[in-house]
């Protein structure tokens, strides 16, 4: 264990010796673009959790002295070593270091302490493409085209560098605040022979260590048949994503991974009748059983893909101009998403709700005394971000009843770090009103009436809410902690 930790430190360092590939006996010095800094996690103010991966947590982190905001990918050294993920981490570090494209998340610097490795990434405050699809049910063809074109552009770059991403999925396609896509998570990347990216000898991913790399719903048939990885792998995943954007679910979705694999190898593909001919044709071609025939992989290269009728009207030179995707033509979906306040445990790795102690370590939620921090993890749910400013984050959120004299209405009550307190219609996703904020307890006062019921007094209005999760006391504490920070 100690030995592993030591080697991890050496390879995370900003200057390492690598063997030159053409003259194996000679070593040359290799300097990372993104340096390894001597920072500590205390140099950063940790805000909301962006996401939880299988071996990392990604947290919005503001550098206290410069005010710069990063997406800090935090990886526990013991966990990585125990799970044999060391090679993946080193590979992601060295690959991201050499990528330079607006469609790829940038790595700025790394640092470490005795427990964790930290990668300071460009922050994407618009959430995952996955959330966009879930929130809207499905996307219009204009929106899907807008996002797909940006993924094609970024994949063209990644492939031109001789890399296969191998885990293209809507959870790894992140949105900036102006609605543009960046590809993240290079932990499964595979450098092809002759790749333009320099890879440390011990940082290559070990294919034999797992049955397949990637995510079940997007895995191509040839990978299930143990064929070697090709660029076509990512193009199959692209086909699945275009389908998912338009239909709301991935094309081979089923009740178990095994059933999904059956459908993939049998190419059991059905199109909803509202798909246009162009969309149907593009997906059909990308989901070709022969990886070399998928547009982008064949002889015509990326020109074949970019010239496909689905992309008609796309100006490939101006993909990242403009700030918003085309008008949302789709109805808000009945996604079956929980409107309540809990973190979806399937996205949380071990399923437990965890929060940060501010020292870079994770502590169990029940041990934490800071109610607003606890709530900020508890409420991690990016669909509410649309009602907030980009840098604003949710501190506490609950589906509550707003009680009036003769009626009651279910609303999503949201407290943010701005601070502000708003309530939103959870079905229509519209802001219904706000509770006028004041730091003065005479102008904003919370009174707990029962474990579920609480009143908020403002000079002009009295609000009565019922929180069925019995968090009336927590609401009072959270609001008061913001009045006296
Ligand atoms: N730069 C970023 N900006 C905002 N959010 C991010 C960023 N990078 C990652 N995230 C969020 O964190 C999640 C986990 O990150 P990532 O996929 O890199 O972790 P991982 O441990 O490699 O996960 P996986 O299980 O997919 O391999 C992402 O799905 C995304 O929601």
């Amino acid at each position: 264990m100690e030995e592993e930790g030591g080697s991890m430190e050496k390879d995370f360092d900003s200057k390492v010796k690598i063997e030159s590939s053409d003259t194996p006996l000679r070593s040359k010095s290799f300097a990372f673009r993104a340096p390894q800094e001597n920072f500590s996690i205390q140099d950063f103010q940790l805000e909301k959790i962006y996401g939880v991966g299988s071996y990392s947590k990604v947290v919005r982190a503001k550098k206290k002295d410069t005010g710069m905001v990063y997406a800090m990918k935090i990886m526990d050294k013991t966990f990585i070593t125990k799970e044999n993920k060391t090679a993946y981490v080193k590979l992601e570090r060295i690959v991201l270091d050499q990528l330079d494209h607006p469609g790829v998340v940038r790595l700025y610097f790394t640092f470490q302490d005795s427990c964790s490795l930290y990668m300071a990434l460009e922050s994407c405050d618009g959430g995952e493409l996955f959330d966009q699809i879930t929130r809207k049910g499905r996307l219009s063809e204009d929106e899907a085209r807008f996002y797909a074109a940006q993924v094609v552009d970024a994949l063209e770059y990644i492939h031109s560098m001789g890399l296969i991403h191998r885990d293209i999925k809507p959870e790894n396609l992140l949105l900036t605040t102006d609605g543009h896509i960046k590809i993240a998570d290079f932990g499964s990347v595979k450098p092809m022979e002759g790749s333009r990216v320099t890879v440390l000898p011990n940082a290559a991913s070990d294919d034999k260590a797992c049955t397949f790399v990637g995510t079940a719903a997007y895995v191509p048939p040839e990978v299930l048949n143990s064929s070697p990885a090709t660029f076509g792998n990512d193009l199959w995943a692209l086909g699945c994503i275009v389908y998912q954007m338009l239909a709301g679910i991935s094309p081979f979705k089923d009740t178990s991974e095994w059933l999904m694999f059956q459908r993939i190898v049998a190419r059991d593909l059905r199109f909803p009748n509202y798909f246009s001919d162009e969309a149907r044709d593009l997906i059909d071609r990308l989901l070709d059983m022969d990886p070399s025939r998928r547009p982008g992989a064949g002889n015509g290269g990326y020109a074949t893909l970019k010239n496909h009728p689905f992309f008609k009207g796309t100006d490939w030179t101006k993909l990242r101009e403009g700030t918003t995707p085309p008008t949302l033509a789709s109805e808000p979906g009945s996604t079956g998403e929980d409107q309540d306040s809990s973190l979806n445990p399937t996205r949380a790795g071990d399923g437990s709700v965890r929060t940060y102690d501010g020292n870079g370590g994770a502590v169990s939620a029940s041990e934490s005394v800071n109610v607003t921090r606890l709530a900020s993890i508890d409420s991690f749910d990016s669909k509410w971000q649309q009602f907030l400013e980009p840098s604003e984050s949710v501190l506490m959120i609950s589906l509550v009843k707003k009680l009036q004299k003769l009626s009651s209405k279910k609303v999503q009550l949201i407290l943010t770090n701005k601070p502000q307190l708003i309530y939103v219609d959870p079905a229509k996703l519209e802001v219904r009103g706000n509770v006028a904020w004041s730091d003065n307890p005479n102008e904003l006062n919370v009174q707990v009436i029962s474990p579920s019921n609480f009143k908020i007094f403002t000079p002009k209005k009295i609000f009565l809410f019922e929180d069925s999760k019995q968090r009336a006391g927590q609401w009072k504490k959270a609001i008061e902690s913001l009045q006296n920070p």
Side-chain angles (χ1 to χ4, degrees):
M1 163 63 229
E2 265 193 30
E3 208 188 314
E4 267 291 357
S7 103
M8 213 181 289
E9 257 162 58
K10 212 166 46 204
D11 292 346
F12 233 63
D13 207 348
S14 60
K15 270 205 169 174
V16 287
K17 294 270 186 189
I18 60 159
E19 305 236 311
S20 167
S21 54
D22 35 35
T23 47
L25 293 176
R26 215 184 59 219
S27 276
K28 68 177 177 187
S29 188
F30 175 82
F32 285 131
R33 178 190 64 195
Q36 189 191 45
E37 300 285 6
N38 274 327
F39 298 148
S40 104
I41 195 64
Q42 265 81 13
D43 298 332
F44 298 83
Q45 188 181 320
L46 298 183
E47 299 172 355
K48 67 178 178 179
I49 291 195
Y50 278 127
V52 183
S54 44
Y55 61 94
S56 71
K57 290 192 170 76
V58 182
V59 183
R60 193 173 199 274
K62 191 188 269 179
K63 183 113 199 310
K64 288 177 187 164
D65 58 352
T66 62
M68 293 293 288
V69 170
Y70 303 96
M72 195 66 79
K73 186 160 176 167
I74 307 177
M75 294 156 285
D76 183 89
K77 284 182 181 174
T78 314
F79 181 78
I80 286 168
T81 314
K82 215 167 67 197
E83 298 288 311
N84 284 328
K85 295 283 184 193
T86 317
Y88 294 88
V89 172
K90 289 177 189 169
L91 188 63
E92 181 172 34
R93 197 261 185 260
I94 196 167
V95 165
L96 271 184
D97 190 70
Q98 295 168 75
L99 297 186
D100 184 8
H101 188 270
V104 174
V105 165
R106 194 170 177 106
L107 174 69
Y108 288 108
F109 53 84
T110 63
F111 61 97
Q112 56 182 291
D113 54 31
S114 56
C115 300
S116 306
L117 301 173
Y118 302 88
M119 294 207 301
L121 300 164
E122 181 179 9
S123 66
C124 298
D125 274 303
E128 300 171 5
L129 180 63
F130 178 86
D131 296 324
Q132 288 287 316
I133 303 172
T134 311
R135 188 166 58 77
K136 291 173 189 153
R138 58 185 157 93
L139 308 187
S140 69
E141 287 211 5
D142 279 346
E143 281 180 288
R145 185 175 9 264
F146 176 86
Y147 292 133
Q150 291 176 44
V151 179
V152 168
D153 179 54
L155 275 182
E156 182 178 24
Y157 169 75
I158 293 168
H159 290 174
S160 76
M161 297 296 283
L163 299 170
I164 312 169
H165 184 283
R166 294 203 297 180
D167 200 11
I168 295 292
K169 57 180 176 180
E171 291 88 333
N172 288 336
L173 302 178
L174 306 181
L175 295 172
T176 57
T177 40
D178 59 7
H180 295 113
I181 293 235
K182 289 188 188 267
I183 298 184
D185 191 2
F186 282 71
S188 306
V189 75
K190 168 106 185 158
M192 297 297 276
E193 231 178 87
S195 164
R196 287 163 64 193
V197 167
T198 306
V199 182
L200 296 173
N202 58 350
S205 64
D206 178 7
D207 280 351
K208 291 180 217 105
C210 43
T211 21
F212 77 86
V213 174
T215 304
Y218 311 95
V219 75
E222 67 274 13
V223 169
L224 294 173
N225 291 326
S226 310
S227 300
T230 66
F231 297 126
N233 298 171
D234 291 339
L235 296 162
W236 173 279
L238 173 68
C240 293
I241 288 166
V242 177
Y243 184 107
Q244 185 169 350
M245 286 194 279
L246 296 174
I249 54 163
S250 54
F252 305 104
K253 177 111 184 126
D254 218 308
T255 45
S256 71
E257 279 196 355
W258 188 81
L259 285 172
M260 259 190 291
F261 294 155
Q262 297 297 304
R263 291 193 56 194
I264 292 167
V265 293
R267 197 175 185 269
D268 177 8
L269 176 66
R270 284 162 256 174
F271 292 106
N273 52 16
Y274 52 82
F275 276 27
S276 71
D277 289 345
E278 292 78 14
R280 210 178 275 246
D281 186 76
L282 175 70
I283 296 164
D284 194 48
R285 288 171 192 270
L286 285 168
L287 298 183
D288 196 306
M289 296 301 270
D290 178 350
S292 68
R293 286 167 45 121
R294 293 171 198 154
N299 284 342
Y302 266 81
T304 320
L305 182 51
K306 290 158 115 178
N307 290 330
H308 188 278
F310 179 76
F311 290 114
K312 193 163 176 239
T314 301
D315 185 342
W316 293 95
T317 61
K318 294 195 176 126
L319 287 181
R320 288 182 172 78
E321 285 178 17
T323 53
T324 41
T327 340
L328 322 177
S330 53
E331 326 104 47
S334 54
T335 60
E337 242 188 307
D338 187 2
Q339 303 284 0
D340 210 330
S341 58
S342 53
L343 175 81
N344 178 354
T346 58
R347 306 296 310 282
D350 61 3
S352 62
V353 176
R354 299 181 86 80
T355 184
Y356 280 89
D357 60 5
N359 297 316
V363 294
S364 104
S366 56
E367 287 154 29
S368 171
V369 286
N370 185 328
V371 69
T372 50
R373 242 187 233 162
L374 168 76
S376 86
I377 309 304
D378 187 31
S379 68
F380 169 67
D381 186 349
S382 56
K383 96 176 133 189
W384 309 108
Q385 194 65 38
Q386 64 179 306
F387 305 111
L388 316 181
E389 286 168 14
S391 59
E392 200 178 355
S393 54
V394 174
L395 295 179
M396 184 154 179
I397 184 165
S398 261
L399 187 65
V400 299
K401 268 192 200 149
K402 182 169 174 287
L403 305 170
Q404 278 155 332
K405 267 193 194 119
L406 298 171
S407 63
S408 80
K409 228 181 162 36
K410 275 198 172 173
V411 293
Q412 198 78 36
L413 187 60
I414 303 174
L415 175 67
T416 76
N417 62 345
K418 195 174 171 184
Q420 67 163 337
L421 194 49
I422 56 170
Y423 47 95
V424 175
D425 181 323
K428 295 193 178 137
L429 287 177
E430 285 167 2
V431 177
R432 283 279 169 252
N434 77 315
V435 178
W437 185 266
S438 169
D439 287 337
N440 182 346
N442 293 324
E443 289 170 2
L444 177 69
N445 184 269
V446 186
Q447 191 188 330
V448 174
I449 297 168
S450 72
S452 308
N453 290 65
F454 60 103
K455 273 185 183 172
I456 303 182
F457 295 85
T458 67
K460 287 204 176 137
K461 230 173 151 178
I462 300 170
F463 299 82
L464 176 57
F465 294 108
E466 182 186 305
D467 184 337
S468 61
K469 293 226 165 128
Q470 307 210 322
R471 305 204 304 173
Q474 282 191 34
W475 277 105
K476 181 177 167 67
K477 271 194 207 159
I479 291 168
E480 287 178 356
S481 73
L482 289 172
Q483 287 178 309
N484 317 295

